[in-house]
Amino acid sequence: MATGNERRIARLAKTGDLPRADLKALMATLTEDEAQILYARAREVRERVYGKAVYLRGLIEFTNFCKNNCYYCGIRRDNCKIERYRLDEATILDCCDRGYDLDFRTFVLQGGEDLRYSDKEICRLIRKIKAQHPDCAVTLSIGEKSEASYRAYFEAGADRYLLRHETANLSHYRRLHPPELSGWHRQRCLQILKAIGYQVGAGMMVGSPDQTLDDLVDDLRYLQVLKPEMIGIGPFIPQKDTPFGQEEAGTLIDTLHLLAIIRLMHPHVLLPATTALGTIDPFGREKGLLAGANVVMPNLSPTAVRGKYLLYDGKICTGDEAAECRRCMAMRVEKTGYHVVVDRGDYKAEDKRKEA
Ligand code: SAM
């Protein structure tokens, strides 16, 4: 006889949704055997939409200066223990060139909210990347900006924007951030990005301080309403020089459960197996792929600055050359039975006729 959780998994796989109480029960009581069933369903769904392909995103962490003071983040403004850096345009373009030769067809420009780069400079950079590599997608992950800035980047050629909502519960958001930041404003930015036409990525940290199962269900509900093209989730990991330096990390298991649940709720979504997942478990990214993820994000930043973009303690891949990261990633992916493809890896929209 099927267990309660097996019935919940079957219903989630069939309808893409569950009532709040069932989602909470699933997350709270899933056994190892049931989890394997959940992951298998998630793999079926991802393979139906994306086959065995795993998309590469080349991450360029171009500045660790940040005007914000998020309590969890190692590059927060008040962390005076880290050495700050910013990459100039020529270096970033060089990272893209090397990435292109290594088969990357998406470049993710990520950084703290660094006011030193003007919109004009960001737009020029996007234009240059697109001119050098017209077959590539440019993803920005540079935080909360004005609508005018988001529009300017889009018009310059940016295709995608990653802005994790972090937590959908506004009072939990206040627990994780200083008073000048608000969850409402972050969610407003996501709406604007969607309306402009970006492929948008939202997401949350798993196991952040004081996060409850209800908060996670709120996150899942928020994602169902926003319908982002990408969902980035990863465990919270403490960074010792932040206010949350002594808090407990999120767990591998909770993150894997959520990846699989998200895959069943969003069959078409682009879902990375994140570096944070690889940091809390040596095979975390492989396990993420086997729980429904279909994207990996190796680092293309110059090795000299890798160790300075320390959002959390123990971050992996801080010493390797880009080529080494790429090789290592391909091998890891192959071992899961999937394979890395040379492709921009755009969102595959639902074919309503086929799925009706
Ligand atoms: N400034 C941009 C922004 O606000 O979206 C992008 C950079 S921000 C450092 C990228 C992501 O890192 C955040 O959205 C957050 O979820 C994640 N992050 C920061 N500190 C973390 C930690 N201690 N553990 C896990 N993830 C963390």
Side-chain angles (χ1 to χ4, degrees), residues 284-295:
R285 286 166 300 177
E286 290 88 326
K287 291 173 185 171
L289 291 173
L290 292 170
N294 63 335
V295 171

Side-chain angles (χ1 to χ4, degrees), residues 35-299:
Q36 292 307 326
I37 297 171
L38 176 67
Y39 304 153
R41 288 285 98 78
R43 288 197 296 275
E44 273 166 32
V45 168
R46 78 81 94 193
E47 287 174 28
R48 175 161 57 76
V49 180
Y50 288 101
K52 301 267 186 192
V54 172
Y55 299 121
L56 284 177
R57 303 332 190 183
L59 187 60
I60 304 170
E61 297 159 334
F62 70 100
T63 173
N64 71 352
F65 283 87
C66 192
K67 71 174 180 58
N68 294 333
N69 235 347
C70 308
Y71 300 144
Y72 46 84
C73 185
I75 63 168
R76 67 197 301 271
R77 183 184 67 223
D78 284 355
N79 184 1
C80 51
K81 299 256 175 74
I82 58 164
E83 201 185 318
R84 303 282 170 175
Y85 73 90
R86 47 173 75 88
L87 303 182
D88 61 20
E89 185 184 276
T91 310
I92 300 171
L93 290 172
D94 187 54
C95 292
C96 295
D97 289 346
R98 280 185 301 127
Y100 192 87
D101 292 340
L102 293 168
D103 293 342
F104 288 87
R105 296 296 178 266
T106 291
F107 303 116
V108 181
L109 303 180
Q110 189 180 90
E113 288 195 24
D114 182 354
L115 298 176
R116 188 67 77 79
Y117 297 89
S118 65
D119 283 352
K120 234 167 121 183
E121 286 169 305
I122 299 281
C123 288
R124 193 178 61 197
L125 178 62
I126 297 165
R127 276 194 214 95
K128 286 197 174 173
I129 297 174
K130 295 297 266 194
Q132 273 176 225
H133 304 292
D135 52 338
C136 292
V138 171
T139 304
L140 297 178
S141 177
I142 52 176
E144 296 174 40
K145 304 278 177 181
S146 68
E147 178 166 357
S149 301
Y150 286 149
R151 280 196 190 282
Y153 309 150
F154 190 71
E155 278 156 21
D159 304 273
R160 310 182 187 135
Y161 205 103
L162 300 180
L163 186 77
R164 287 186 177 181
H165 67 280
E166 312 295 2
T167 172
N169 177 328
L170 298 185
S171 56
H172 186 229
Y173 194 94
R174 278 199 299 277
R175 167 79 178 98
L176 306 182
H177 300 90
E180 63 273 17
L181 295 174
S182 85
W184 180 86
H185 188 262
R186 198 140 176 113
Q187 293 179 19
R188 175 83 193 115
C189 287
L190 281 159
Q191 273 170 2
I192 292 170
L193 289 163
K194 265 254 161 190
I196 291 173
Y198 283 96
Q199 290 182 43
V200 168
M204 63 281 186
M205 284 180 294
V206 179
S208 59
D210 293 341
Q211 185 181 58
T212 62
L213 283 180
D214 272 304
D215 293 335
L216 286 170
V217 177
D218 287 347
D219 287 322
L220 295 172
R221 293 282 177 250
Y222 174 71
L223 292 168
Q224 284 175 315
V225 174
L226 182 71
K227 297 188 178 36
E229 285 75 17
M230 303 162 290
I231 297 178
I233 69 162
F236 157 74
I237 304 175
Q239 201 288 329
K240 62 179 175 21
D241 302 313
T242 64
F244 289 165
Q246 302 307 316
E247 299 285 343
E248 257 178 52
T251 69
L252 171 79
I253 296 299
D254 287 346
T255 311
L256 295 177
H257 291 172
L258 273 160
L259 281 171
I261 290 171
I262 289 171
R263 172 57 67 202
L264 294 179
M265 287 183 157
H266 304 261
H268 294 253
V269 86
L270 293 156
L271 191 60
T274 58
T275 308
L277 198 54
T279 297
I280 55 165
D281 183 287
F283 296 102
R285 286 166 300 177
E286 290 88 326
K287 291 173 185 171
L289 291 173
L290 292 170
N294 63 335
V295 171
V296 288
M297 301 177 73
N299 206 309

